[in-house]
Amino acid sequence: MLVTGGAGFIGSHLVDLLVGDGHEVAVLDNASPHAHATRPEAGLNPRARYHWADVRDPAAWDAAIEALGGIDAVSHQAAMVGLGVNFGDVLDYVTTNDAGTAAGLLALHRRDFRGRFVLASSMVVYGEGAYRCPDHGPVRPAPRAEADLVAGHFEPPCPHCGQPLVAEPVTEDTPPDPRNVYAATKLHQEHLSFTYAREHDSAAVALRYHNVYGPRMPRDTPYAGVASIFRSALEAGRDPRVFEDGRQLRDFIHVRDVARANRLALTAPLEGSIACNVATGVRHSIADMASELCRAFGRPAPAPVQPWRYRLGDVRHVFGSPDLARQTLGFRAEVSFEDGMAEFAHAPLRAAPPATA
């Protein structure tokens, strides 16, 4: 099997599982400076074959595949993740995510590869999560206005009557609505993967990760997830900076569960391609997460930053239904929020990249 990004946060945990199952595994990873201070050493499995090259180069895919004498499945984890710093990151996101996926699919096309292709996608493709208005039923709120955020009005209103909305679990048949550059690239990666699968009579699985956390996350970088940013602050003796009012709802899922979902997606019997939420089915607020981590450090829960802080490209509530992944892949999350956060509070993180240290 080929795992791109297999030296990274999620990919390294997946490589451990696959090698433990007896698979021959090749890893293609460029040790991106957005995630690694130097070429990583910790977390590398000695039984996998590592190829340090750029996923945007089809020849790099060829070299990794040839090292195994061919492959029967691909897990494409390599990507530039997070919301980034600002729109100035757009070229890095598009070339790494979209062009990197295109390069890999081109290399596979030239080999007439017809095996399983698993893509690390994200819940960000939905934009805002699912909402219901008491009078108008299911609705899609408009993008948030900056004037509302400045004033501390964070909850999206019904676009028809302005009433408060009730957030609900998002399902895979929810129309995509990407609201930042990263989200747009993830959706395009899905489209490329499904197009390849249709034209090669194979199957692609897009795993829409919800908020992943756990050991080996990169620390102190704007490209890391909020869990890592909070944990890094606490380790440095600072309170986490809670944006908005802290009541944003998410589904936090442990990296070991995400690796298990990937293993199932690579091997489960499927007819055709599919996109699945990878989620626990249990929602928690950003403030909940901050409180759990602070408790592990013996600190009081932090108050939201004042004046209000926010990111315009972020969304208010998004948490997923895990039903489809359970039905099609046999996946159920096993690590509870409380146990996972208690472990994560003191688990090893990756060193900070020089530009963001």
Side-chain angles (χ1 to χ4, degrees), residues 137-214:
V139 295
R140 297 290 288 169
R144 300 193 296 175
E146 189 157 16
D148 289 338
L149 301 178
V150 170
H153 302 150
F154 303 120
E155 295 293 340
C158 175
H160 306 294
C161 65
Q163 289 190 83
L165 298 175
V166 177
E168 299 182 329
V170 67
T171 59
E172 291 82 357
D173 58 0
T174 300
D177 184 20
R179 297 192 176 188
N180 56 63
V181 169
Y182 171 58
T185 65
K186 285 283 116 180
L187 184 58
H188 191 210
Q189 285 182 280
E190 288 192 10
H191 290 167
L192 291 172
S193 303
F194 294 149
T195 298
Y196 179 93
R198 281 195 302 272
E199 295 190 8
H200 294 79
D201 192 26
S202 59
V205 182
L207 297 178
R208 293 174 175 170
Y209 301 159
H210 284 251
N211 287 70
V212 188
Y213 71 97

Side-chain angles (χ1 to χ4, degrees), residues 260-276:
R260 289 178 46 251
N262 274 274
R263 177 171 62 181
L264 289 166
L266 286 165
T267 57
L270 291 174
E271 295 183 6
S273 298
I274 193 169
C276 290

Side-chain angles (χ1 to χ4, degrees), residues 14-286:
L14 174 59
V15 169
D16 287 344
L17 282 184
L18 296 177
V19 167
D21 289 343
H23 295 288
E24 286 190 89
V25 177
V27 170
L28 175 60
D29 198 301
N30 72 343
S32 169
H34 291 300
H36 303 281
T38 60
R39 181 179 292 182
E41 295 180 1
L44 301 188
N45 194 299
R47 294 164 59 191
R49 305 183 187 188
Y50 289 84
H51 300 265
W52 303 104
D54 198 320
V55 294
R56 294 172 291 186
D57 181 3
W61 290 72
D62 288 334
I65 293 168
E66 288 166 4
L68 293 180
I71 55 171
D72 56 4
V74 176
S75 175
H76 185 30
Q77 303 292 319
M80 189 169 173
V81 301
L83 294 186
V85 177
N86 54 47
F87 197 84
D89 287 325
V90 61
L91 190 59
D92 286 339
Y93 274 102
V94 172
T95 55
T96 301
N97 297 354
D98 297 342
T101 300
L105 294 174
L106 176 60
L108 296 174
H109 167 73
R110 289 171 175 170
R111 294 171 173 271
D112 195 30
F113 172 80
R114 295 173 182 269
R116 184 69 53 83
F117 187 88
V118 176
L119 172 71
S121 187
S122 171
M123 53 82 174
V124 296
V125 302
Y126 298 119
E128 283 286 353
Y131 293 86
R132 180 176 295 274
C133 172
D135 292 340
H136 296 95
V139 295
R140 297 290 288 169
R144 300 193 296 175
E146 189 157 16
D148 289 338
L149 301 178
V150 170
H153 302 150
F154 303 120
E155 295 293 340
C158 175
H160 306 294
C161 65
Q163 289 190 83
L165 298 175
V166 177
E168 299 182 329
V170 67
T171 59
E172 291 82 357
D173 58 0
T174 300
D177 184 20
R179 297 192 176 188
N180 56 63
V181 169
Y182 171 58
T185 65
K186 285 283 116 180
L187 184 58
H188 191 210
Q189 285 182 280
E190 288 192 10
H191 290 167
L192 291 172
S193 303
F194 294 149
T195 298
Y196 179 93
R198 281 195 302 272
E199 295 190 8
H200 294 79
D201 192 26
S202 59
V205 182
L207 297 178
R208 293 174 175 170
Y209 301 159
H210 284 251
N211 287 70
V212 188
Y213 71 97
R216 303 180 193 168
M217 285 188 88
R219 71 169 79 237
D220 293 328
T221 163
Y223 302 94
V226 64
S228 175
I229 294 171
F230 282 11
R231 154 67 199 275
S232 296
L234 286 163
E235 197 170 38
R238 306 188 305 270
D239 286 334
R241 302 182 72 219
V242 177
F243 282 18
E244 301 184 22
D245 58 6
R247 297 176 184 172
Q248 310 94 303
L249 295 175
R250 298 291 188 268
D251 189 317
F252 295 97
I253 183 164
H254 195 278
V255 66
R256 288 196 297 273
D257 281 330
V258 175
R260 289 178 46 251
N262 274 274
R263 177 171 62 181
L264 289 166
L266 286 165
T267 57
L270 291 174
E271 295 183 6
S273 298
I274 193 169
C276 290
N277 288 325
V278 178
T280 68
V282 181
R283 70 195 77 171
H284 291 279
S285 71
I286 297 294

